[in-house]
């Protein structure tokens, strides 16, 4: 069962066509770098896989479930198995770090437990463990918005570590990190999917990172897949074309 | 059972005029009621307002200030001088105030003055506007009239209705109190009690005085008395049981009873002795401006209104009166004394 | 691979750290972990607020004895029935048309003058213009607290005694307190706008005005204009309250029908008022949106936004029409009669009455007023938060029933605030025993109408992405709101509640009469019997109380930040 299967997907956002005729199959264990200039449809592709964006035509299958016509309860269950690291982090700045990390468990926690945890943090040891992996265990009770951009990005990774998803979607997960931290973050995300035999889809702006951490590269241009090749067949020069033309 | 008698003997002159069309049985004669009169006049007012809005810029007058369009019916408006009239909002104010154009027209025709009616919804505002000279001739209640005279030296009492010589209030109770009609007001002392407006003669002042006479503290009821704001609100609040007892103007009580609008939960408890109430009061500025004989001219107009004349009858009906009669300042000496005693006059 | 099997799956990632569940965090096996510390100031304020609320509820008699009067349900039903069968006879509608024009004119001219006064006054109140001279700024702020501390209806009655039946009464009764509030809010908005651009321009040698125009205005314009339109909607409602004291318009008609409890007519007035408010809200919303998110230029040409151009022309035109329609004349403000009456009023009202019994009565009334306002705001805040899910316009397309429910709730809130508080007070008194509670609930219901809308707007302005991210990882709607929205909404919503508390203190003047007591009842009696020295004392107490509440809520807001 592939982790992701897209068949002839088209997405319209307002009047613009964000994705067109996309066919893509990502198998378990694959790590796919999605590359392309901004506006090429990378973020839309990732949002498509969480059900946040619906296709105008075509079928989207995630972890064996066709998203179209999936009942709300099933969709929630499925989403709990999909971890996301967003470009904008999308952390709740007003919460303490412990809660922001614990939010990774909201897909499996009943609401009462989620509410209780805000009063008295639940499962702190696991949170500490996840934070320790990103080197932030000492910031457990800080307010998230008091952290630097790079630290916040690591909190977002810690959330995914705690969530233990079968599919990780990472939208520019390393945009605010220095090279050493970028490698560490990518390794952590790889670790998550490898342990569970899952897949990783990451939009990346650095060709070197893509080549070092991924098994396959998918290139987008104006909403269409224009490159799809295994990493060993690619060089940094092949990828440079996708980053060379800023819009 | 005196109470029952009261309800039926409310003065024949009131009967047809105060029916509410909404609740009147279909078999009743289709006498032009106050509320129905509203229809015709509302149209006129609305048209006037719309016309005002569209009128050319030149010589525009405000829709809310005394200089507004003088009565269109005034035959020789400017030559006779202008008179601004007003009234305190009391019974059926929505009908009265929206229909006052009728009075203005009738008065203009009879006196040759350009009569304008200015609306006021607040008792104290009416008194203040009389003092400032914005209102020349005002239909005041007993207490507000005395207040106005104290603040405006030289004000003249012009006329009162026939029923104002023998005006009364009624105490009502909720049936849950189990009280039978009685003359003994002390039975009310332990009930949640509401008056009407704080400066209403029939809704507060005189009832409070009669309570005091029988040894009941008029401001002492459990939790303190309420001030419902109007006679109708008093009726409804006593009907709901929030207040167990209350007091209101007998004219309203009779009118609502005859229209079948009084909730069966409300029972008549007692009827006060008579006192003087409403009257027309004329300001000194108007006399100075329009001539020494103005009070007489106005008195002639009011006293000359006859129920036999169809136009006059409409005006009388509006006031729920059989006729207007002379009034003297001394008629309200009792109110003045009680007002001072209760701290309502300074 | 079902979700159910996932609970145990957390083990592997924890393995390296090796802290078993339940072991004290920060044990020697793991890295050092800080202890959870809660902010003491916030706790103190939270406990204080709770105590204040309990004390107020106790004062309202909630914990002692019966407060309900079920027998009055029939009277309440009659009021409700009027909502479904308003008086739509052509004559009454025609009457209301003229009255509506008067109300609109009062509101537009009053709000127009207020915004102008606010714009001129704001620079005198900003932190930046006073710099380190804090005393001066404090004095300037204190000066605007006086016009702000008195309700429009009180201003109306005072002005009526000076100007008589002049249209200025209604206009100024709105313009004076609104001008003061607007100046304060404008000053706050200017203080809060990012100043970096402005400072950079000044550093680059731009003149003061240029720097203001290019550096500050574009950043603050949205907030300022949105607030100006919000004031316009408030002004419509205030114009109605002024009608109650005899200034004419819709409020006058409403008040007449209310005195005789003609609910069908009262509702027609309420609906007319609602329609006017809707127009103000929709216009304000359109302008706010256009400024926040201007449409992209096409073809590289500068295009002016048609909506903004129309608004820019229509608003001044409306104000000018109002001045013409009401036929206000500046001369009336300074003529001999006004001066004479003012002198009369001042000589009657000064010196204030400071006799013992009055002061005792005022102290008691002030306590009742505070309790009333606290209960009202607590009710409104709770209601606004509970309804927040429906009052916030959804960002994504939603199912039809949900969208309908949203429209319904927002309209209901509009009606709640269109019915004047005195009407609510009487209606609630049908089903409640007399006391503080009916007045407090009446004010609460009215405030809910206002706060519901403001809360919805505050939530709409929050970044939706964090909550969306939680939904994307499978959080339920409730959990996503709890983690993604609530923590960020607490600040703005409580700030709103604190602001409305100050307004509620002022509004208690309107609902005091029916056995509720408080400063409003006292003031109404003093005004009714023309006891001017006592009126002065009471007004001083009202202003002082408003100022005190303002200071307390200012402190509380600072702690929330």
């Amino acid at each position: 069962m592939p982790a992701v299967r897209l068949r002839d997907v088209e997405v319209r956002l307002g009047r613009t066509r964000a994705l067109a005729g996309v066919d893509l199959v990502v198998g378990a264990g694959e790590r796919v770098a999605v590359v392309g200039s901004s506006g090429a449809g990378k973020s839309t592709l990732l949002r498509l896989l969480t059900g946040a964006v619906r296709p105008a035509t075509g079928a989207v299958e995630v972890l064996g479930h066709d998203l179209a016509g999936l009942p709300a309860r099933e969709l929630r269950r499925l989403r709990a198995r999909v971890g996301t690291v967003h470009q904008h982090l999308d952390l709740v700045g007003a919460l303490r770090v412990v809660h922001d990390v614990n939010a990774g468990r909201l897909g499996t926690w009943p609401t009462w437990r989620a509410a209780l945890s805000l009063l008295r943090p639940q499962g702190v040891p696991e949170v500490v463990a996840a934070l320790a992996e990103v080197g932030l265990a000492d910031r457990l009770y800080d307010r998230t918005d008091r952290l630097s951009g790079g630290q916040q990005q690591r909190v977002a990774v810690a959330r995914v570590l705690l969530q233990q998803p079968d599919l990780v979607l990472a939208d520019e997960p390393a945009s605010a990190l220095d090279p050493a931290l970028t490698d560490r973050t990518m390794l952590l995300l790889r670790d998550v999917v490898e342990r569970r035999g899952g897949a990783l889809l990451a939009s990346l702006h650095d060709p070197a990172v893509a080549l070092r951490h991924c098994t396959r590269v998918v290139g987008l241009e104006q909403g269409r897949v224009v490159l799809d090749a295994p990493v060993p067949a690619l060089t940094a020069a092949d990828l440079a074309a996708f980053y060379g033309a800023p819009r | 059972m005196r109470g029952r008698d009261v309800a039926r003997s409310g003065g024949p002159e009131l009967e047809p005029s105060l029916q509410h069309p909404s609740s009147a049985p279909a078999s009743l004669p289709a006498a032009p009621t106050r509320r129905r009169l509203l229809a015709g006049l509302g149209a006129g007012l609305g048209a006037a307002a719309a016309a005002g809005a569209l009128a050319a810029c030149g010589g525009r007058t405000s829709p809310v200030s005394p200089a507004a369009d003088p009565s269109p019916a005034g035959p020789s408006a400017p030559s006779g001088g202008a008179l601004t009239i007003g009234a305190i909002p009391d019974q059926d104010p929505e009908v009265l105030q929206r229909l006052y154009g009728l009075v203005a027209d009738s008065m203009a025709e009879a006196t040759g003055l350009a009569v304008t009616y200015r609306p006021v919804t607040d008792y104290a505002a009416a008194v203040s506007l009389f003092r400032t000279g914005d209102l020349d001739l005002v239909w005041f209640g007993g207490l507000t009239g005395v207040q106005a005279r104290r603040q405006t030296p030289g004000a003249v009492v012009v006329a009162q209705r026939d029923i104002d010589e023998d005006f009364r209030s009624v105490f009502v109770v909720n049936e849950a109190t189990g009280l039978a009609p009685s003359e003994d007001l002390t039975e009310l002392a332990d009930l949640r009690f509401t008056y009407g407006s704080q400066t209403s003669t029939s809704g507060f002042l005189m009832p409070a005085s009669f309570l005091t006479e029988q040894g009941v503290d008029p401001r002492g009821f459990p939790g303190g008395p309420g001030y419902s704001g109007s006679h109708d609100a008093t009726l409804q609040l006593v009907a709901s049981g929030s207040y167990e007892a209350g007091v209101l103007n007998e004219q309203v009580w009779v009118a609502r009873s005859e229209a079948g609008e009084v909730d069966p939960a409300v029972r008549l408890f007692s009827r006060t002795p008579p006192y003087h109430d409403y009257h027309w009061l004329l300001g000194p500025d108007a006399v100075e401006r329009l001539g020494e004989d103005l009070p007489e001219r106005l008195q002639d107009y009011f006293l000359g209104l006859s129920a036999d004349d169809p136009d006059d009858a409409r005006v009388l009906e509006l006031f729920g009166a059989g006729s207007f009669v002379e009034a003297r300042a001394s008629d309200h000496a009792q109110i003045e004394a009680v007002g001072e005693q209760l701290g309502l006059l300074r | 691979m079902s979700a159910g099997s996932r609970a145990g799956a957390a083990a592997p990632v924890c393995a390296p750290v090796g802290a078993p569940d339940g072991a004290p965090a920060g044990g020697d096996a793991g890295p050092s972990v800080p202890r959870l510390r809660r902010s003491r100031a916030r706790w103190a304020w939270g406990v204080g607020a709770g105590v204040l609320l309990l004390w107020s509820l106790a004062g309202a008699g909630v914990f002692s004895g019966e407060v309900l009067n079920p027998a009055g349900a029939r009277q309440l039903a009659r009021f409700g029935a009027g909502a479904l069968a308003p008086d739509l006879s052509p004559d009454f509608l025609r009457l209301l048309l003229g009255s509506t024009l008067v109300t609109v004119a009062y509101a537009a001219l009053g709000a127009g003058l207020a915004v102008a006064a606010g714009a001129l006054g704001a620079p005198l109140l900003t932190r930046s213009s006073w710099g380190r001279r804090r005393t001066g700024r404090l004095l300037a702020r204190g000066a605007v607290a006086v016009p702000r501390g008195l309700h429009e209806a009180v201003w109306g009655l005072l002005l009526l005694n000076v100007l008589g039946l002049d249209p200025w009464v209604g206009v100024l009764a709105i313009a004076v307190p609104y001008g003061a509030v607007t100046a304060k809010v404008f000053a706050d908005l200017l203080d809060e706008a990012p100043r970096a651009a402005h400072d950079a321009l000044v550093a680059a040698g731009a003149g003061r005005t240029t720097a203001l125009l290019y550096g500050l205005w574009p950043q603050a314009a949205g907030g300022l204009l949105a607030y100006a339109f919000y004031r316009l909607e408030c002004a419509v409602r205030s114009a109605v309250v002024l009608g109650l004291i005899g200034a004419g318009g819709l409020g006058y008609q409403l008040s007449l029908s209310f005195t005789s409890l003609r609910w069908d007519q009262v509702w027609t007035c309420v609906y007319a008022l609602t329609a006017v408010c809707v127009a103000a809200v929709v216009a304000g919303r359109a302008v706010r949106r256009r400024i926040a998110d201007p449409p992209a230029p096409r073809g590289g040409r500068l295009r002016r936004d048609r909506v903004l151009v129309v608004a820019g022309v229509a608003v001044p035109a409306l104000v000018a029409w109002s001045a013409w329609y009401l036929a206000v004349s500046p001369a009336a403000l300074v003529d001999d009669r006004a001066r004479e009456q003012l002198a009369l009023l001042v000589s009657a009202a000064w010196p204030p009455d400071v006799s013992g019994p009055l002061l005792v009565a005022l102290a008691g009334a002030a306590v009742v007023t505070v309790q009333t306002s606290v209960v009202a705001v607590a009710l409104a805040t709770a209601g606004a938060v509970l309804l927040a899910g429906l009052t916030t316009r959804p960002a994504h397309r939603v199912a039809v029933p949900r969208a309908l429910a949203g429209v319904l709730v927002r309209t209901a809130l509009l009606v709640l605030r269109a019915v004047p508080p005195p009407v609510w007070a009487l209606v609630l008194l049908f089903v409640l025993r007399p006391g503080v509670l009916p007045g407090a609930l009446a004010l609460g219901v009215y405030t809910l109408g206002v706060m519901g809308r403001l809360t919805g707007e505050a939530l709409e302005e929050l970044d939706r992405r964090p909550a969306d991210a939680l939904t994307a990882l499978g959080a339920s709607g409730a959990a996503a709101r709890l983690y993604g929205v609530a923590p960020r909404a607490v600040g703005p919503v409580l700030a709103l509640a604190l602001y409305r508390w100050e307004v509620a203190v002022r509004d208690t003047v309107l609902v005091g009469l029916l056995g509720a007591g408080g400063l409003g009842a006292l003031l109404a009696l003093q005004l009714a019997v023309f006891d001017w020295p006592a009126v002065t004392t009471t007004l001083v107490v009202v202003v002082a109380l408003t100022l005190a509440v303002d200071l307390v809520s200012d402190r509380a807001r600072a702690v929330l930040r």
Side-chain angles (χ1 to χ4, degrees), chain C residues 48 72 74 164 185 187 195 225 232 236 294 304 380 402 471 485:
Chain C
R74 219 157 3 123
V185 172
R195 302 194 71 84
L225 284 174
L232 182 64
V236 173
R304 293 196 193 285
R402 159 70 180 76
T471 310
V485 180

Side-chain angles (χ1 to χ4, degrees), chain A residues 77-151:
Chain A
R77 260 193 214 150
L78 180 66
R79 282 171 164 176
R81 298 170 59 199
V82 180
T84 314
V85 182
H86 280 280
Q87 185 178 0
H88 305 289
L89 304 177
D90 295 353
L91 296 172
V92 185
L95 282 177
R96 294 174 192 270
V97 170
V98 60
H99 299 306
D100 253 324
V101 175
N102 250 340
R105 299 200 264 209
L106 289 183
T108 51
W109 272 357
T111 304
W112 66 265
R113 195 163 177 202
L116 179 66
S117 181
L118 283 177
L119 297 175
R120 194 173 181 288
Q122 303 283 296
V124 173
E126 291 95 324
V127 176
V128 172
L131 282 172
E133 298 231 22
V134 297
L136 283 176
D138 57 330
R139 309 306 294 270
L140 183 65
Y141 292 120
D142 282 23
R143 255 179 70 137
T144 306
D145 53 12
R146 301 274 153 83
L147 270 53
S148 72
Q151 286 171 327

Side-chain angles (χ1 to χ4, degrees), chain C residues 254-543:
Chain C
L254 194 152
S255 144
L256 289 180
S257 299
F258 173 56
T259 308
S260 301
L261 308 190
R262 292 280 309 229
W263 295 130
D264 53 342
Q265 296 182 351
V266 168
W267 275 106
T268 315
C269 296
V270 165
Y271 289 142
L273 172 61
T274 306
V276 176
C277 286
V278 166
V281 170
V282 168
R285 213 182 157 74
V287 169
R288 212 181 49 186
R289 282 216 175 146
R290 292 301 172 120
I291 289 175
D293 186 19
R298 259 194 235 156
R301 278 172 47 200
L302 174 67
R303 292 196 325 158
R304 293 196 193 285
D305 191 319
R306 238 176 261 159
V307 172
L308 290 184
V309 171
V310 168
V313 173
V315 170
L318 181 65
V319 172
W321 169 83
S322 302
W324 169 80
Y325 184 62
L326 292 173
V328 290
S329 131
L333 290 177
V334 289
D335 69 5
D336 289 343
R337 202 193 64 167
R339 230 173 294 156
E340 188 185 306
Q341 295 295 341
L342 182 63
L344 204 67
L345 187 63
V346 169
S347 69
W350 200 266
D353 181 355
V354 287
S355 60
L358 176 66
L359 295 183
V360 170
L362 278 172
V367 166
V368 172
T369 292
V370 169
Q371 289 175 332
T372 306
S373 64
V374 168
V375 172
V377 169
L379 172 85
T381 310
V385 168
L386 286 178
L387 290 175
L390 290 170
T391 49
T392 316
R393 274 158 217 261
H396 318 295
R397 201 171 295 164
V398 290
V400 174
R402 159 70 180 76
L404 271 182
V407 171
L408 212 67
V409 166
R410 284 195 295 272
T411 313
L413 288 176
L414 201 60
V415 172
L416 286 192
R417 60 182 188 262
V419 176
V423 176
W424 281 125
L426 180 69
V427 167
L428 285 168
L429 194 55
F430 288 146
V431 287
L432 294 168
R433 292 286 178 87
V436 172
L437 200 59
L441 291 189
L443 211 52
V445 169
Y446 175 79
T447 308
L448 170 60
V450 181
M451 268 200 69
R453 174 195 162 194
L454 294 178
T455 305
E457 282 179 358
L459 294 190
E460 279 168 36
E461 272 162 29
L462 287 181
D463 186 357
R464 287 164 196 269
R465 288 177 307 200
D468 287 349
L470 296 178
T471 310
L473 60 77
S476 64
R481 276 199 286 277
L482 210 55
Y483 275 68
V485 180
R488 293 176 306 145
V490 168
V493 169
L494 284 185
L496 265 180
L498 288 166
Y499 166 66
R500 284 311 301 190
W501 183 30
E502 187 197 323
V503 178
V505 167
R506 214 175 324 153
D507 284 357
T508 50
V509 171
L510 293 176
V511 294
L513 276 182
L514 285 158
L519 291 169
L522 216 51
L523 184 66
L525 180 66
Q526 292 160 351
L527 284 168
V529 304
F530 303 95
D531 187 354
W532 291 111
V535 167
T536 310
T537 317
T538 306
L539 292 184
V540 168
V541 171
V542 169
V543 170

Side-chain angles (χ1 to χ4, degrees), chain B residues 35 39 53 55 60 62-63 65-66 93-94 97-98 119 121 128 131 134 147 151 230 236 239-240 242 263 346, chain C residues 69 74 78 161 164-165 244 246 252-253 257 259-262 265 324-326 337 341 429 432 528 530-531:
Chain B
R35 291 198 203 278
R60 207 191 131 60
S62 171
S65 80
E94 91 284 10
Q97 303 241 350
R98 286 165 198 158
T121 55
S128 292
R131 187 198 76 220
D134 283 275
Q147 282 183 328
Q151 295 189 18
S230 74
Q236 296 262 321
S240 77
S242 289
D263 192 293
R346 294 170 43 87
Chain C
N69 175 42
R74 219 157 3 123
R78 223 179 278 175
N161 271 284
L165 268 180
L244 301 184
Y252 169 66
Q253 302 299 346
S257 299
T259 308
S260 301
L261 308 190
R262 292 280 309 229
Q265 296 182 351
W324 169 80
Y325 184 62
L326 292 173
R337 202 193 64 167
Q341 295 295 341
L429 194 55
L432 294 168
F530 303 95
D531 187 354

